[in-house]
């Protein structure tokens, strides 16, 4: 067919390869989609003249092609494109790939758009074989070095490409096992103690193991090696841990990874060589200090692997001031250039520094906030940018509990401080020791909290990490896998706690130099802000921000973290268009919400007010009454309670608007169901047991969510809303007499047709007029409705005629719109998300395509009929940043969320406005 011909031409005409070398690159930092983050930043660093070993990036389009075409590559890629790029490298470096005298060696590295630390594979020293290793030995005059490289290469290639791997994470790595056996036999502990001859034997043993275990031969031909490695990099995009990581981080599968092929530089050439990783600022606290770790005579991931304990960058300053100065210069170059905190990887080859990677550094919420604030103060970025740098959820970390200091101190005094590790992820966590993800899952199922305790973590552990409250590791530094991932997940983490002695097989944890023996399942507490590890449970205490704002136990001037928080909030308020209200039904909740910045109450659920003490009796009396007289009598008892509730709430909110929803749930929710309780209730009301039982049975509904509830209750029993409206207006009149003008917003739930709203409104107006006449007072009030039944959304033009405001009740709207019960969705939603049917849980983040369209249509029709119609959203979604951005895009007036989410909502609303 002619089309296929066209396709081939189009494919082979495409640029799949982008070269880079110091001072000149075909790509740049903006090309992440095509080159992946690593490739784009290698190009950018090269462009600004930083010392980057030359190489080329094979674009993500090749990866997409690979998966779209049954794991094959575009035609010409291995025939022309790659050989051409290789030839350029060879010319630039004066080396030849596979040459027996002066061989070019390569690293082959994966790199997706978003960084996925450690999820995909990298192969170093590619191009080595039995011939070229001798050349490298000759050239460097260092046979041990050459064989160390070869040993590493065969190991990486055997693992990544030829797939000789442990069956599961509890088994030892087959290569590590061989290495350990040789070390044991030789009586040495460090890799660096192995001699050339030892390394040769290990290489032989590796190759044999590959052959016997996989049936595959280790390829001697460098070109074959390269093709295998590139295939493996693209293949690693779909390995299990990468898939899990993508799910957790909402990275779509179609992005694909790029593949970077780069000339090797060697950190393992001897004592003047080394390798390291660093952050341009402290990634845990955000402090403006150079933070990093390095190892001399080491290669690749030795630093993060946690097998040798690395030195800190401040030690580099002492031991090698020249290199340190160079590195520090690059640090500020990079911060000035990227205007952000960067995470860098570097290698020193015989005293010369090379940059191997840079990317915007992952950081804790605390650090993100501090860095954004500091950089704004330093003039590197402006307020708007500072706000855009902070993910709203990160504010959680400022609100997160810390240990109760007294309890912690007494734990320390009584000898329960077990050890101190690195403070890799701030916050306080207590939970049961779990050595595996399975155990963490078990513990969580029982409603307990888990602390994942591992010698070191690897990408296989991410599931366990996400389940755990905190993560504790024996090995690894601030840039170890555990620390990096914990920070990203916002988990409490103590890393590199060397005093721990973990025995997985016995399920035991011992502490060096102590008699303590802890078992899996015992309680342990970790302080990710100080690095302390303590035995047993310790209760947690509120954060600085909470102490200033809510508890008022700390003065603002003594609270530096609060000061930053306060700036961020004030900047947010400057740019946001949405008002932020809260869902609250008690005065103390309202107080808390106001101190967090609530500008009103968007949802007061009156049913919560009927549960306490004698109220529930009066409520039950009302429900069980035989006739309207009986109901009225009971409602008269409830009235004073309701009036006081509203009075308290209005007072707490001052002049801010308060939306009160009339009684919503089905009545049976207020009744007992056990025989004993029903007997007791019957006795209390002096009624025969069977009458009460019958009445309760009569109230039974097959589908209470869709039964007699919401406005239907008031239409059948007008005396119920009448009592509530009376309480509302009486409370408002009382406040008016005290000099406060309150404008209550009375909200009718579960309206589906305008008639329902009209009938209920008549009741409201009738009662309100009567109360005002009695009180000889006038109160302005609004009557509006929730939009939570799809029919209401579809007929919003009609409904708007009878409403002063709409509030989108997205919980019910989602349930009814999706035909999916929130309380039963746990059964199937996880699988649904696995199938990508819904990317997010639609009860947490609004389903914008479906439910969002209902809201959009409703808002538009409502406003067409009544331009001044007030629009807001209540329900769980009101505190979700994506939903908030959506509400901003529809120009709603406000979002309403629970008090603790208000700071997040303020920032999210500002970001939505700034990004629009
Ligand atoms: P990751 O995405 O897991 O960070 P990288 O591709 O950055 O993987 O590779 C891991 C490490 O391998 C790097 O940090 C660096 O130490 C080493 N490495 C990669 N490329 C080279 C190279 N060209 N020369 C020397 N070392 C390299
Ligand atoms: Mg890696
Ligand atoms: Mg890297």
């Amino acid at each position: 067919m002619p089309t296929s011909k066209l396709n081939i031409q189009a494919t082979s005409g495409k640029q799949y390869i982008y070269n880079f070398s110091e001072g000149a690159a075909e790509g740049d930092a903006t090309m992440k989609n095509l080159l992946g983050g690593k490739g784009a930043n290698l190009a950018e660093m090269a462009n600004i003249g930083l010392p980057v070993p030359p190489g080329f990036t094979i674009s993500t389009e090749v990866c997409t092609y690979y998966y779209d075409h049954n794991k094959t590559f575009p035609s010409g890629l291995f025939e022309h494109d790659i050989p051409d790029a290789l030839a350029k490298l060879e010319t630039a470096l004066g080396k030849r790939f596979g040459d027996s005298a002066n061989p070019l060696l390569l690293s082959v590295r994966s790199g997706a758009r978003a960084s996925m630390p450690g999820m995909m594979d990298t192969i170093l020293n590619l191009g080595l074989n039995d011939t070229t290793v001798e050349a490298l030995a000759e050239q460097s005059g260092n046979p041990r070095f050459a064989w160390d490289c070869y040993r590493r290469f065969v190991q990486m290639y055997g693992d990544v490409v030829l797939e000789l791997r442990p069956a599961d994470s509890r088994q030892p790595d087959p290569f590590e096992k061989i290495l350990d056996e040789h070390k044991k036999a030789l009586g040495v502990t460090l890799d660096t103690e192995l001699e050339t001859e030892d390394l040769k034997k290990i290489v032989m043993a590796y190759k044999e193991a590959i052959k016997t275990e996989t049936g595959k031969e280790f390829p001697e031909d460098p070109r074959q090696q390269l093709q295998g490695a590139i295939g493996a990099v693209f293949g690693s995009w779909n390995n299990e841990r990468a898939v899990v990581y993508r799910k957790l981080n909402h990275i779509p599968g179609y992005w694909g990874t790029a593949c970077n092929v780069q000339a090797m530089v060697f950190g393992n050439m001897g004592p003047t060589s080394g390798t390291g990783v660093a952050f341009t600022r402290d990634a845990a606290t955000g402090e403006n200090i150079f933070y990093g770790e390095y190892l001399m005579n080491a290669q690749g991931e030795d630093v993060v692997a946690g097998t040798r304990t690395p030195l800190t960058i401040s030690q580099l300053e002492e031991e090698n001031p020249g290199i340190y100065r160079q590195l520090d210069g690059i640090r500020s170059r990079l911060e000035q250039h990227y205007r952000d905190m960067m995470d860098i990887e570097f290698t020193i080859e015989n005293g010369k520094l090379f940059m191997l990677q840079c990317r915007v550094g992952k950081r804790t919420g605390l650090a993100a906030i501090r860095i954004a604030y500091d950089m704004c103060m330093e003039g590197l970025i402006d307020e708007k940018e500072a706000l855009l740098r902070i993910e709203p959820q990160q504010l959680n970390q400022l609100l997160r509990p810390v240990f109760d200091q007294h309890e912690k101190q007494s734990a320390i005094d009584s000898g329960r401080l077990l050890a101190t590790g690195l403070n890799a992820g701030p916050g306080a966590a207590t939970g049961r020791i779990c050595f595996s993800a399975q155990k963490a899952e078990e513990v969580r199922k029982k409603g307990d909290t888990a602390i994942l305790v591992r010698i070191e973590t690897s990408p296989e552990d991410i599931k366990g990490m996400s389940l755990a409250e905190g993560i504790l590791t024996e090995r690894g530094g601030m840039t170890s896998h555990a620390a990096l991932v914990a920070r990203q997940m916002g988990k409490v983490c103590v890393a590199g706690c060397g005093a721990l002695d973990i025995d997985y097989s016995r399920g035991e944890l011992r502490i060096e130099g102590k008699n303590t023996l802890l078992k899996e399942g015992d309680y342990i507490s970790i302080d990710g802000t100080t690095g302390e590890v303590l035995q047993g449970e310790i209760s947690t205490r509120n954060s600085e921000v909470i102490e200033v704002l809510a508890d008022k136990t700390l003065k603002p001037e003594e609270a530096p973290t609060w000061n930053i928080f306060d700036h961020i909030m004030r900047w947010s308020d400057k740019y946001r268009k949405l008002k932020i209200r809260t869902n609250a039904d008690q005065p103390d909740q309202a107080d808390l919400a106001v101190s967090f910045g609530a500008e009103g109450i968007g949802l007061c659920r009156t049913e919560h007010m009927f549960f306490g003490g004698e109220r529930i009796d009066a409520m039950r009396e009302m429900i069980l009454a035989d006739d309207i007289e009986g109901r009225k009598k009971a409602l008269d008892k409830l009235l004073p309670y309701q009036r006081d509730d509203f009075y308290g709430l209005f007072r707490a909110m001052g002049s801010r608007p308060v939306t009160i929803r009339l009684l919503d749930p089905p009545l049976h929710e207020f009744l007992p169901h056990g025989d004993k309780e029903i007997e007791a209730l019957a006795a209390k009301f002096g009624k025969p047991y069977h009458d009460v039982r019958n009445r309760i049975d009569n109230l039974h509904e097959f589908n209470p969510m869709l039964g007699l509830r919401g406005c239907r209750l008031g239409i059948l029993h007008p005396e119920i809303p009448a009592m509530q409206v009376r309480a509302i207006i009486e409370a408002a009149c009382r406040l008016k007499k005290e000099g406060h003008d309150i404008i209550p917003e009375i909200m009718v739930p579960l309206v589906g047709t305008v008639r329902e709203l009209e009938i209920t409104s008549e009741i409201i107006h009738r009662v309100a007029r009567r109360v005002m006449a009695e009180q000889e007072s006038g109160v302005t009030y609004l009557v509006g409705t929730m939009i939570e039944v799809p029919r209401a959304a579809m007929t919003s033009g009609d409904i708007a005629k009878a409403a002063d405001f709409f509030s989108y009740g997205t919980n019910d709207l989602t349930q009814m719109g999706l035909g999916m019960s929130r309380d039963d969705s746990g059964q199937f939603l996880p699988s649904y998300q696995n199938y990508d049917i819904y990317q997010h849980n639609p009860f947490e983040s609004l389903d914008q395509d479906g439910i969002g369209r209902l809201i959009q249509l409703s808002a538009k029709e409502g406003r067409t009929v009544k331009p001044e119609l007030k629009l807001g959203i209540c329900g769980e979604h009101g505190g979700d940043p994506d939903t908030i951005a959506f509400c901003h895009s529809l120009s709603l007036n406000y979002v309403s969320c629970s008090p603790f989410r208000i700071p997040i909502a303020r920032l999210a609303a500002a970001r939505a406005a700034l990004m629009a």
Side-chain angles (χ1 to χ4, degrees):
M1 273 201 304
T3 42
S4 67
K5 222 177 188 166
L6 272 177
N7 274 339
I8 288 172
Q9 275 181 357
T11 324
S12 53
K14 210 164 196 166
Q15 182 173 2
Y16 283 123
I17 291 199
Y18 294 78
N19 297 292
F20 56 84
S21 60
E22 195 172 324
E26 290 174 344
D28 63 49
T30 63
M31 294 163 70
K32 289 203 175 66
N33 293 358
L34 198 60
L35 304 181
K38 198 181 290 165
N41 283 325
L42 280 169
E44 186 80 10
M45 286 196 293
N47 278 331
I48 62 172
L50 297 185
V52 175
F56 55 89
T57 302
I58 308 170
S59 81
T60 54
E61 286 176 351
V62 174
C63 188
T64 322
Y65 183 102
Y66 177 81
Y67 284 109
D68 285 349
H69 294 80
N70 207 9
K71 303 199 178 175
T72 58
F73 292 95
S75 64
L77 186 75
F78 286 102
E79 293 75 16
H80 316 291
D81 300 11
I82 291 176
D84 285 355
L86 264 181
K88 279 196 189 117
L89 265 185
E90 290 175 332
T91 316
L93 294 167
K95 297 181 177 187
R96 284 180 62 84
F97 194 45
D99 196 78
S100 58
N102 191 8
L104 170 65
L105 300 182
L106 301 172
S107 77
V108 179
R109 321 167 62 185
S110 54
R113 276 193 216 183
S115 105
M116 298 169 56
M119 293 302 132
M120 290 178 302
D121 297 311
T122 296
I123 294 167
L124 304 180
N125 311 326
L126 188 135
L128 282 176
N129 56 27
D130 292 346
T131 316
T132 51
V133 70
E134 295 302 347
L136 186 64
E138 179 86 13
Q139 235 186 354
S140 61
N142 186 345
R144 195 208 162 271
F145 151 72
W147 282 90
D148 182 46
C149 290
Y150 196 21
R151 194 273 301 166
R152 290 165 185 268
F153 172 51
V154 177
Q155 176 162 354
M156 281 187 260
Y157 200 89
D159 170 4
V160 174
V161 185
L162 305 174
E163 303 182 313
L164 176 53
R165 297 171 190 157
D168 65 69
S169 64
R170 293 190 180 221
Q171 311 267 306
D173 176 272
F175 294 105
E176 289 299 333
K177 205 171 138 215
I178 295 171
L179 187 65
D180 281 343
E181 281 163 8
H182 278 79
K183 283 202 274 190
K184 221 177 238 152
L186 293 161
V188 303
T189 51
L190 291 178
D191 294 5
T192 41
E193 294 169 301
L194 293 166
E195 310 277 345
T196 311
E197 291 311 309
D198 309 329
L199 291 165
K200 284 186 181 172
K201 286 192 193 116
I202 294 169
V203 168
M204 294 259 286
Y206 278 178
K207 287 188 179 175
E208 282 218 12
I210 292 171
K211 182 120 189 251
T212 50
E213 299 296 320
T214 70
K216 290 177 243 179
E217 195 85 47
F218 173 81
E220 288 283 316
D221 172 11
R223 272 163 221 276
Q224 197 188 333
Q225 292 174 355
L226 182 59
Q227 186 153 350
I230 292 171
V233 163
F234 289 129
S236 72
W237 177 250
N238 270 348
N239 73 32
E240 206 189 312
R241 58 187 198 221
V243 171
V244 173
Y245 185 90
R246 286 207 294 273
K247 275 253 138 59
L248 273 172
N249 293 282
H250 305 295
I251 298 173
Y254 66 83
W255 278 6
T257 180
C259 178
N260 301 289
V261 178
Q262 187 180 31
M264 281 300 300
V265 289
F266 297 98
N268 54 337
M269 260 194 184
T272 56
S273 301
T275 180
V277 292
F279 290 97
T280 57
R281 298 186 188 212
D282 188 322
T285 65
E287 212 181 327
N288 190 359
I289 50 167
F290 199 10
Y291 197 96
E293 290 162 338
Y294 74 103
L295 276 175
M296 294 313 274
N297 198 10
Q299 189 178 50
E301 314 244 82
D302 289 358
V303 180
V304 283
T307 33
R308 265 162 74 191
T309 299
L311 307 175
T312 64
I313 288 290
S314 50
Q315 282 164 290
L316 181 67
E317 186 174 11
E318 283 163 31
E319 286 180 17
N320 202 328
I323 292 283
Y324 177 83
R325 264 197 306 281
Q326 245 189 89
L327 197 59
D328 196 43
I330 288 178
R331 169 196 180 209
S332 43
R333 277 285 303 279
L334 284 173
E335 277 214 345
Q336 293 294 326
H337 184 74
Y338 282 92
R339 299 178 304 115
D340 206 342
M341 187 271 271
M342 304 301 286
D343 167 352
I344 61 178
E345 298 181 4
F346 61 92
T347 281
I348 308 156
E349 181 182 289
N350 277 333
K352 177 163 169 34
L353 181 65
F354 290 94
M355 295 303 294
L356 292 176
Q357 188 172 329
C358 85
R359 63 185 163 204
V360 171
K362 295 229 156 60
R363 57 202 83 179
T364 62
L366 192 72
I369 295 162
R370 167 123 191 224
I371 290 169
Y373 172 80
D374 283 352
M375 286 194 166
C376 183
M377 293 301 167
E378 290 161 27
L380 226 46
I381 58 177
D382 62 17
E383 279 169 21
K384 296 182 193 174
E385 177 124 28
L387 296 178
L388 291 171
R389 293 276 176 89
I390 306 169
E391 289 296 329
Q393 308 282 9
Q394 290 178 319
L395 289 172
N396 270 334
Q397 290 192 25
L398 291 191
L399 309 176
R400 255 216 301 222
V402 293
F403 283 126
D404 179 296
Q405 283 305 318
H406 295 294
E407 226 180 287
K408 183 173 153 190
Q409 195 51 51
S410 69
I412 293 172
D413 294 343
S414 61
R416 278 161 58 201
L417 176 62
L418 296 174
T420 302
L422 299 170
N423 54 341
T430 286
R432 293 187 186 275
I433 297 175
C434 297
F435 292 130
S436 66
Q438 291 94 307
K439 180 74 184 177
E441 203 165 0
E442 226 174 82
V443 165
R444 283 284 303 266
K445 277 221 175 90
K446 289 188 189 138
D448 230 328
T449 53
I451 305 288
L452 185 71
V453 182
R454 301 280 302 167
I455 297 176
E456 56 199 297
T457 65
S458 71
E460 275 81 12
D461 292 313
I462 34 181
K463 185 167 174 217
M465 297 174 78
S466 73
L467 287 168
E469 199 78 2
I471 296 137
L472 172 62
T473 65
E474 178 180 328
R475 292 194 211 148
M478 289 296 271
T479 49
S480 65
H481 178 264
L484 227 66
V485 177
R487 279 201 288 275
Q488 199 188 349
M489 289 184 174
K491 298 276 177 188
V492 178
C493 178
V494 173
C497 187
L500 306 184
D501 182 4
I502 299 168
D503 187 334
Y504 293 139
S505 57
R506 288 164 170 265
E508 287 177 2
L509 168 64
R510 288 173 191 280
I511 312 297
E512 248 165 54
K514 291 201 185 225
N515 278 330
T516 329
L517 167 69
L518 295 168
K519 295 223 166 262
E520 187 161 30
D522 287 349
Y523 272 107
I524 199 164
S525 299
I526 59 174
D527 189 331
T529 312
T530 60
E532 291 157 306
V533 180
L534 299 115
Q535 189 177 359
E537 261 183 302
I538 299 176
S539 30
T540 48
R541 212 198 60 183
N542 286 341
S543 72
E544 203 182 88
V545 171
I546 302 287
E547 293 209 322
V548 173
L549 285 183
D551 307 345
K552 308 204 162 53
T553 47
L554 192 65
K555 289 196 195 106
E557 56 275 20
E558 286 162 13
T561 313
W562 174 84
N563 173 53
I564 296 176
F565 172 84
D566 189 49
H567 272 87
I568 305 292
M569 289 294 101
R570 278 192 276 149
W571 295 342
S572 298
D573 293 348
K574 224 180 328 182
Y575 298 105
R576 71 182 158 89
K577 299 277 188 298
L578 282 166
K579 298 253 181 240
I580 312 294
R581 296 197 190 184
T582 192
N583 299 349
D585 32 61
Q586 306 286 339
D588 58 334
Q589 285 170 5
D591 281 338
L592 178 68
V594 168
S595 57
F596 276 141
E599 296 166 291
I601 287 181
L603 176 63
C604 162
R605 298 176 166 95
T606 50
E607 55 270 23
H608 290 177
M609 298 169 164
F610 291 127
F611 279 98
E614 294 165 15
R615 302 163 176 225
I616 188 70
D617 288 342
M619 190 65 185
R620 287 170 171 173
E621 186 184 331
M622 193 275 293
I623 297 168
L624 295 173
D626 300 317
D627 50 24
I628 183 161
E629 290 317 312
R631 265 197 301 281
K632 279 190 170 156
K633 217 178 92 203
L635 284 165
D636 284 344
K637 293 186 194 165
L638 284 170
L639 175 68
Y641 292 125
Q642 278 270 266
R643 192 173 46 219
D644 287 352
D645 290 336
F646 295 138
Y647 176 79
L649 209 56
F650 291 152
R651 264 194 75 110
M653 295 307 291
S655 56
R656 300 174 187 87
V658 176
T659 305
I660 294 162
R661 178 177 69 184
L662 299 177
L663 192 65
D664 182 42
L667 296 179
H668 77 90
E669 282 190 12
F670 299 97
L671 295 175
H673 291 279
D675 274 339
K676 278 229 170 68
E677 292 150 293
I678 295 178
E679 258 170 46
L681 189 67
K684 205 173 213 168
F685 294 144
K687 292 194 173 193
Y689 166 81
H690 281 285
D691 286 8
V692 176
R693 171 98 249 176
N694 272 341
R695 185 87 181 99
I696 293 177
D697 288 348
N698 282 341
L699 283 170
H700 170 81
E701 293 177 312
F702 288 102
N703 206 335
M705 261 349 271
L706 305 175
L708 177 58
R709 55 169 286 223
C711 64
R712 295 164 197 170
L713 275 174
I715 291 171
L716 262 65
H717 307 298
E719 58 282 5
I720 299 176
M723 181 278 286
Q724 293 199 290
V725 172
R726 173 170 284 276
I728 293 167
I729 303 294
E730 285 183 358
C733 287
R734 186 170 153 200
L735 276 155
K736 181 150 194 187
K737 279 175 197 145
E738 293 170 12
H740 308 288
D741 258 327
I742 303 294
I743 305 181
E745 301 179 352
I746 300 172
M747 179 156 77
V748 183
L750 214 75
V751 162
T753 78
V754 67
R755 270 304 286 157
E756 288 173 310
L757 182 58
E758 285 167 355
I759 293 170
T760 313
S761 298
E762 276 166 34
I763 301 168
I764 295 170
H765 292 313
R766 185 165 19 96
V767 176
R769 274 196 304 269
R770 192 180 308 146
V771 174
M772 288 191 277
E774 286 165 16
Q775 302 278 330
E776 295 174 352
S777 172
V779 170
T780 311
Y781 62 93
L782 307 180
V783 178
T785 179
M786 296 203 59
I787 301 287
E788 53 187 334
V789 174
R791 192 184 189 285
M794 302 306 289
T795 58
S796 286
D798 280 337
I799 293 179
K801 291 179 197 147
D804 297 319
F805 63 88
F806 286 172
S807 174
Y808 294 99
T810 47
N811 296 349
D812 268 307
L813 195 58
T814 301
Q815 295 205 99
M816 285 186 242
L818 266 50
M820 185 186 284
S821 148
R822 178 179 65 183
D823 302 324
D824 300 308
S825 61
Q827 304 272 355
F828 48 84
L829 256 188
S831 317
Y832 258 47
Q833 284 173 270
N834 281 340
Y835 280 112
D836 267 347
I837 298 174
Y838 289 109
Q839 283 224 336
H840 304 271
N841 180 336
F843 294 104
E844 285 167 11
S845 188
L846 189 78
D847 159 40
Q848 296 181 14
D849 297 338
I851 305 306
R853 273 194 79 186
L854 281 177
I855 296 177
Q856 182 179 21
L857 185 126
S858 159
K860 190 165 156 236
E861 292 203 350
R863 278 189 172 147
T864 308
V865 170
K866 192 176 274 183
E868 72 280 13
L869 192 71
K870 244 205 269 191
L871 301 177
I873 170 180
C874 56
E876 293 311 303
H877 302 90
D880 167 64
D882 289 339
T883 310
I884 292 171
F886 181 73
C887 292
H888 172 87
S889 74
L890 297 188
S891 307
L892 299 195
N893 300 88
Y894 68 86
V895 299
S896 187
C897 59
S898 65
F900 271 93
R901 298 198 67 82
I902 290 170
I904 293 171
R906 285 162 80 184
L907 175 58
R911 286 166 50 100
L914 291 172
M915 282 190 271

